[in-house]
Amino acid sequence: AKDFLYRLTNEHDLVKSVLPLVEHHLVPSMYFKNHARDKKIRHLSTKVNISELLILARADFFGRTTTEAMSGVYEAGDWMGKKAKELGVFYSPPKPFVKGKDLIDLGLVPSPKFSEILDIVYKKQLDGEIKTKEDAFLYLPKIINS
């Protein structure tokens, strides 16, 4: 896909934005078939814009001659779109509950450990284990003191 796109254009930003869509275009159907949990959709939203992904996935699905495609209904895409909207990740990933500034406000000195702490909290947020900013701040001492 990368070589093909570069034959069409030298717009590096465009190619960079299209490649994740191509890479994940079958994910809506796979997630639907496997009854993916919300956390999978939240994690997907950090890799690709789901609204854009569904445009490509829908076009790919309806470009086939399968019985399902010929029915005119892309159940997997409809399901994923609905779930992504419910989760607030249809257009972009969730905003992290905790940022570096928050850690500074807690009295921590900026260090390489900041990104480790922020990554752990954000992963728990994406996994649905941390549901609110308050939950995140209650969880922080467990990481900071370990």
Side-chain angles (χ1 to χ4, degrees), residues 28-29 32 41 50 54 57-58 61-62 71-86 90:
S29 294
F32 178 70
I41 296 170
I50 292 177
L54 290 176
R58 192 174 302 280
F61 180 80
F62 287 126
S71 76
V73 177
Y74 182 37
E75 196 174 359
D78 295 342
W79 168 82
M80 180 170 276
K82 181 178 183 239
K83 292 294 290 178
K85 286 175 184 172
E86 287 171 4
F90 188 69

Side-chain angles (χ1 to χ4, degrees), residues 18-75:
V18 170
L19 289 176
L21 297 173
V22 172
E23 179 183 350
H24 294 93
H25 79 282
L26 295 176
V27 168
S29 294
M30 291 183 331
Y31 280 13
F32 178 70
K33 180 181 175 187
N34 295 321
H35 309 285
R37 295 183 185 173
D38 293 350
K39 73 179 189 176
K40 291 287 240 176
I41 296 170
R42 281 192 290 269
H43 278 277
L44 177 64
S45 75
T46 67
K47 297 174 186 150
V48 67
N49 179 307
I50 292 177
S51 69
E52 293 174 359
L53 175 66
L54 290 176
I55 292 169
L56 176 61
R58 192 174 302 280
D60 179 67
F61 180 80
F62 287 126
R64 299 172 186 263
T65 57
T66 62
T67 305
E68 294 84 12
M70 301 306 268
S71 76
V73 177
Y74 182 37
E75 196 174 359

Side-chain angles (χ1 to χ4, degrees), residues 7-146:
R7 280 189 264 144
L8 297 176
T9 183
N10 286 328
E11 295 291 326
H12 300 293
D13 289 341
L14 175 64
V15 172
K16 188 177 173 182
S17 68
V18 170
L19 289 176
L21 297 173
V22 172
E23 179 183 350
H24 294 93
H25 79 282
L26 295 176
V27 168
S29 294
M30 291 183 331
Y31 280 13
F32 178 70
K33 180 181 175 187
N34 295 321
H35 309 285
R37 295 183 185 173
D38 293 350
K39 73 179 189 176
K40 291 287 240 176
I41 296 170
R42 281 192 290 269
H43 278 277
L44 177 64
S45 75
T46 67
K47 297 174 186 150
V48 67
N49 179 307
I50 292 177
S51 69
E52 293 174 359
L53 175 66
L54 290 176
I55 292 169
L56 176 61
R58 192 174 302 280
D60 179 67
F61 180 80
F62 287 126
R64 299 172 186 263
T65 57
T66 62
T67 305
E68 294 84 12
M70 301 306 268
S71 76
V73 177
Y74 182 37
E75 196 174 359
D78 295 342
W79 168 82
M80 180 170 276
K82 181 178 183 239
K83 292 294 290 178
K85 286 175 184 172
E86 287 171 4
L87 296 169
V89 298
F90 188 69
Y91 296 107
S92 62
K95 302 274 187 252
F97 292 138
V98 180
K99 299 179 182 167
K101 180 188 178 314
D102 297 315
L103 299 180
I104 293 169
D105 290 347
L106 290 173
L108 277 82
V109 177
S111 71
K113 188 165 177 154
F114 263 41
S115 62
E116 182 183 326
I117 292 168
L118 296 173
D119 289 347
I120 290 168
V121 174
Y122 191 56
K123 183 182 181 310
K124 293 214 173 272
Q125 179 182 338
L126 293 174
D127 289 348
E129 294 175 36
I130 292 176
K131 297 183 184 331
T132 66
K133 188 169 186 151
E134 293 75 25
D135 290 345
F137 278 87
L138 289 172
Y139 184 76
L140 277 173
K142 295 176 186 174
I143 303 170
I144 294 169
N145 299 324
S146 63

